[in-house]
Amino acid sequence: MMPRALRRLVHMVLFCPLSKGLQSRLPAIKVKYLLLAWLGILITSWVIYMQYASYSELCRGHVCHMVICDHYRRGIISGSSCKALCDQRTLTMQRCMSTSSTHQVYSGLWKDRPVVIKCGLEDPLKTDGAPGSILRQEMSLFEKPTRGTSMDEFKEMLHSFLKANLGEQPSLNTLVDRVITLADINKDSKVSLAEAKSIWALLQINEFLLMVALQEKEHTPKLLGFCGDLYVTEHVGHSSLYWLEVPHYLQALVPEALSSSLNHWLAPAWPRRARITIGLLEFVEEVFHGSYGSFLICDASPRHVGYNSKYDCKMAELRSVASEAVVRGFMRGRRCETNADCTYGRDCTATCDRLVKQCNSEVVQPNLAKVCVLLQDYLLFGAPVDLRGDLEKQLRTCVTLSGLASQMEVHHSLVLNNLKTLLWKKISNTQYS
């Protein structure tokens, strides 16, 4: 039996908004309030269950830790973070930020310094879930190079791999040397088999390859260490342009206008958003024609653009950025019926030649146009009245950029510089500059 005090409390919670007189006159309202209370409990329970189910599916950091440390203790892999992760326990995973079960992302601490820890895993649906099965699947990542591979042969492997993924670049030998230096964690001017296996597995991860190629760029997170195919990067204070992200299972219930309004309300002040935008435009410049070729942003999502406490733009996610050579290779000879069949990632789309039913190799929409679509929402709300007209005009011109990138380089640069200049003039000589 429910205690009298508890029954009285439930009665007060459910019926206190109504006076006794009104309750006696409108008894049906009691039932309505009770139904609303139960409906609230059911919805809350469903949200909690979905959150738990999503967490269980996406967050498998413990598996990642087990696999990496098992390989490290068996001498299969090596890395600058292995001791801290597996022996000293000074590198720890904390909050799960994964959006895919095969790509684990955690915020963490390394000797009390905030970091981000990333690790790849096999799809759990492809294994039987047993630890031994997972270990066997992950072993295939570290099959190359094989025992007996000479240093010259390993350098040739690296050169061929980088050429295939970045294209023929005059500075590839410099990048090979950078990779060798990174692999040599004990600085003995030699690369052990475990070191070679680790760096080779890491290079298969698109984001890691880009971080190595763009490591001197201001808006790319710094690589701090690695162990096997687990790697550690600097922590980006804000990992998305917007604070509020509605979970996929609630998107049907939460109106887009409501989430957009809340994000506008929670966003930084306009001058700070302008500073973040300038950094994002500089990143577009950095990847347009860099030392190791051009790179294409194939998912210009606000979830991939972050910023630090000083409101400097930092790309929180680089997996959606691909080299032009890789995208061209994907398009070359690909069969198609419509332009949609010629899409790499989410939005790197080329045209379909309907006569021969093959994709053309060049992407139609340049990086800048994709970024400006994103900025139309992020930058226009709250913009100063005296600037809004020019800003709208510049963004409208930017969004309509199209055509082959190789034929519009001058126009691309002109639009980008005009937009940067417009923003910089407004915030220069202020506390936000």
Side-chain angles (χ1 to χ4, degrees), residues 68 77 118-120 138 141-142 198 201-202 205 227-231:
I68 290 294
I77 62 173
K118 300 186 178 185
C119 175
E138 296 297 318
L141 290 171
F142 305 108
S198 297
L202 283 165
I205 303 170
C227 182
D229 65 335
L230 175 149
Y231 55 106

Side-chain angles (χ1 to χ4, degrees), residues 46-52 54 246-253:
W46 177 73
V47 169
I48 292 172
Y49 169 76
M50 292 299 294
Q51 188 72 19
Y52 173 78
S54 177
V246 180
H248 63 89
Y249 52 82
L250 287 178
Q251 287 175 357
L253 301 175

